Amino acid sequence: MVNRGFVVEMNSAIGPYSGGLRLHPSVNQSILKFLAFGQVFKNALTTMPLGGGAGGSDFDPKGKSDNEVMRFCQNFMTELYHHISPNTDIPTGDIGVGAREIGFLFGMYKKLSNQFTGALTGKGLNWGGSLIRPEAAGYGCVYFAAEMLSTRNMSLEGKTCLVSGSGNVAQHTAQKLIEMGAKVLTLSDSSGYIYDPEGIDTEKLAFVKNLKNIRRDRIKRYAEKYPAAVYTEADYGLGYNPLWSHRAVCAFPCATQNEINENDAYKLINNNIRLVCEGANMPCTPEAVDIFQDKQILYGPAKAANAGGIAVSGLEMVQNSQRLNWLAREVDDRLRIIMKGIHKTCLDVAEEYGTPGNYLNGANISGFVKVVEAMLDQGVV
Ligand code: NDP
């Protein structure tokens, strides 16, 4: 079996390339280019000095033993290490790349480069990782959603929420939603989704974390354990995803790209959705986004809403340079401030350019202007 690996280094005008590494059979150059392109503007929004990139491989870690995953990561790094370093390109996790994979990748990087440096983020806590990095994309997404709701005098307290995915971003989105008093009704994986009308509480979420992170099993086990929940098998021929047909106030797509199409968007709107906040990258198709904008739904685009992940990667780099570990509280406070700042920037820039309340325009324009100004300052090179 031969797998293809890719590195896309899109723009380094404001700092070294940085972005996710993805291991999934769907990975190709096109997907990584869209991820790297969005990452450029997302990283600019965080206010961290980070350029944008992405990487990965069509290797499928699902169903593989730890040893098989380790051997793949080691082989991938034999090529990747030529391209990364703390001052050139600093990859982090994405779909299929969590703590286990970053560990195997880092071990091989260290062996090949003979250096213990922060060339990857999302590292283990005992060897250079930052507290709150695993939680950051999900927590940040919920902080962003709370800010959006506050512009309409609403809060997350008591709100019903649909969350898709059950990986890193989905787990921590659900966790923060529960902490903020919301009721999480759904979670999914590529095989199907569960709907729990009683709500997913902290204990049930702990079961999901164990199921996904340790046992590496399927989400349908949730419905076996908690009989109130209903499991629905995925049917990709339907033209819509029934997860988005349930009544709720907020939707958090946290699995993958193109998981909310126009049919899903109309179903959400017919069920009176008030907010759609993207934990995943590009989970809403352009048609779905147009519908949300047209109907004045609070729509938080990924490059703003999930920027907390890369922001805390930036904070991990700072800690690595200082050879210090900050307290969880300290990192979380900084994450919250960064998400608040991104929210304000989006609103201010949207207003300045004549599209008040349009987070998509605000995020795109502010990220773009910052990167373009840096490129112009640096001349044609
Ligand atoms: P994980 O691998 O931890 O989880 C991905 C989840 O999405 C799993 O539940 C997976 O199900 C599901 N999924 C993946 N591909 C598909 C598919 N083609 N169809 C349906 N379900 C699918 O990844 P993350 O949680 O890290 O990433 C999720 C999203 O968030 C991605 O879009 C990623 O780019 C984005 N993101 C991640 C950040 C991070 O720090 N990790 C930061 C910012 C954004 P299954 O297990 O069956 O594959």
Side-chain angles (χ1 to χ4, degrees):
M1 176 77 188
V2 176
N3 291 106
R4 292 194 75 190
F6 304 86
V7 178
V8 179
E9 295 183 332
M10 189 62 81
N11 189 289
S12 61
I14 63 168
Y17 306 106
S18 191
L21 280 180
R22 180 174 290 193
L23 297 182
H24 193 271
S26 65
V27 163
N28 56 37
Q29 196 180 35
S30 165
I31 287 181
L32 295 178
K33 277 184 174 175
F34 106 69
L35 286 169
F37 187 69
Q39 196 78 45
V40 173
F41 307 111
K42 179 187 305 189
N43 293 3
L45 273 171
T46 64
T47 69
M48 308 292 301
L50 296 173
S57 167
D58 56 8
F59 172 77
D60 187 359
K62 224 176 288 160
K64 304 284 195 307
S65 68
D66 286 353
N67 264 332
E68 286 169 315
V69 171
M70 181 180 76
R71 285 199 298 275
F72 173 80
C73 289
Q74 290 175 340
N75 277 298
F76 187 34
M77 187 52 82
T78 57
E79 187 55 39
L80 188 64
Y81 98 102
H82 294 298
H83 306 279
I84 68 172
S85 88
N87 291 316
T88 50
D89 188 345
I90 309 115
T92 186
D94 193 79
I95 291 178
V97 177
R100 175 183 62 170
E101 292 74 18
I102 293 288
F104 295 148
L105 289 163
F106 183 77
M108 195 63 181
Y109 175 80
K110 186 162 60 80
K111 177 175 174 170
L112 293 169
S113 64
N114 194 27
Q115 286 184 20
F116 193 112
T117 57
L120 291 150
T121 62
K123 299 187 290 295
L125 291 179
N126 294 332
W127 41 276
S130 173
L131 286 159
I132 308 293
R133 175 60 189 90
E135 293 86 352
Y139 280 17
C141 182
V142 178
Y143 294 151
F144 194 84
E147 291 294 318
M148 286 199 293
L149 287 170
S150 73
T151 65
R152 296 195 183 167
N153 296 319
M154 292 192 284
S155 78
L156 283 162
E157 179 76 38
K159 300 291 183 304
T160 44
C161 300
L162 305 176
V163 178
S164 66
S166 51
N168 174 287
V169 179
Q171 289 171 19
H172 296 107
T173 295
Q175 185 174 328
K176 189 50 78 178
L177 284 172
I178 297 166
E179 276 176 41
M180 293 180 86
K183 186 174 182 184
V184 179
L185 298 173
T186 58
L187 286 172
S188 69
D189 59 26
S190 55
S191 310
Y193 79 95
I194 56 102
Y195 172 74
D196 186 342
E198 292 177 353
I200 298 165
D201 59 17
T202 307
E203 183 228 304
K204 291 171 175 176
L205 188 62
F207 171 81
V208 173
K209 286 184 180 177
N210 181 272
L211 181 76
K212 286 289 165 185
N213 307 346
I214 312 287
R215 290 160 56 196
R216 299 187 188 274
D217 206 338
R218 312 309 294 159
I219 198 69
K220 71 173 173 199
R221 303 276 173 237
Y222 182 101
E224 292 165 11
K225 168 100 175 152
Y226 302 106
V230 179
Y231 173 71
T232 306
E233 195 85 31
D235 179 353
Y236 290 101
L238 277 180
Y240 68 95
N241 181 349
L243 186 155
W244 307 117
S245 305
H246 294 281
R247 193 169 187 83
V249 180
C250 305
F252 293 87
C254 296
T256 191
Q257 60 271 5
N258 300 326
E259 50 169 322
I260 295 185
N261 65 18
E262 55 187 319
N263 297 328
D264 300 309
Y266 281 124
K267 283 186 193 291
L268 287 167
I269 282 166
N270 290 339
N271 277 320
N272 215 14
I273 202 82
R274 305 292 292 278
L275 169 141
V276 178
C277 195
E278 296 185 330
N281 282 313
M282 215 175 76
C284 302
T285 63
E287 294 78 17
V289 174
D290 285 347
I291 294 165
F292 295 139
Q293 305 267 40
D294 189 44
K295 302 285 182 194
Q296 314 245 308
I297 306 299
L298 287 168
Y299 164 69
K303 65 173 70 66
N306 72 24
I310 197 71
V312 176
S313 281
L315 299 180
E316 184 171 323
M317 293 172 211
V318 176
Q319 292 170 77
N320 290 166
S321 308
Q322 296 179 326
R323 299 196 188 280
L324 281 176
N325 295 314
W326 299 341
L327 301 174
R329 182 63 185 273
E330 203 173 344
V331 183
D332 197 20
D333 285 349
R334 285 176 192 261
L335 170 64
R336 212 183 255 264
I337 292 167
I338 289 170
M339 297 314 295
K340 240 179 181 334
I342 294 174
H343 178 266
K344 183 170 182 328
T345 301
C346 290
L347 277 189
D348 289 351
V349 174
E351 176 97 30
E352 188 186 336
Y353 283 83
T355 53
N358 186 325
Y359 290 93
L360 183 61
N361 281 357
N364 283 342
I365 296 169
S366 56
F368 181 81
V369 167
K370 182 171 176 182
V371 172
V372 165
E373 283 178 353
M375 288 172 76
L376 292 173
D377 289 347
Q378 291 168 29
V380 184
V381 283

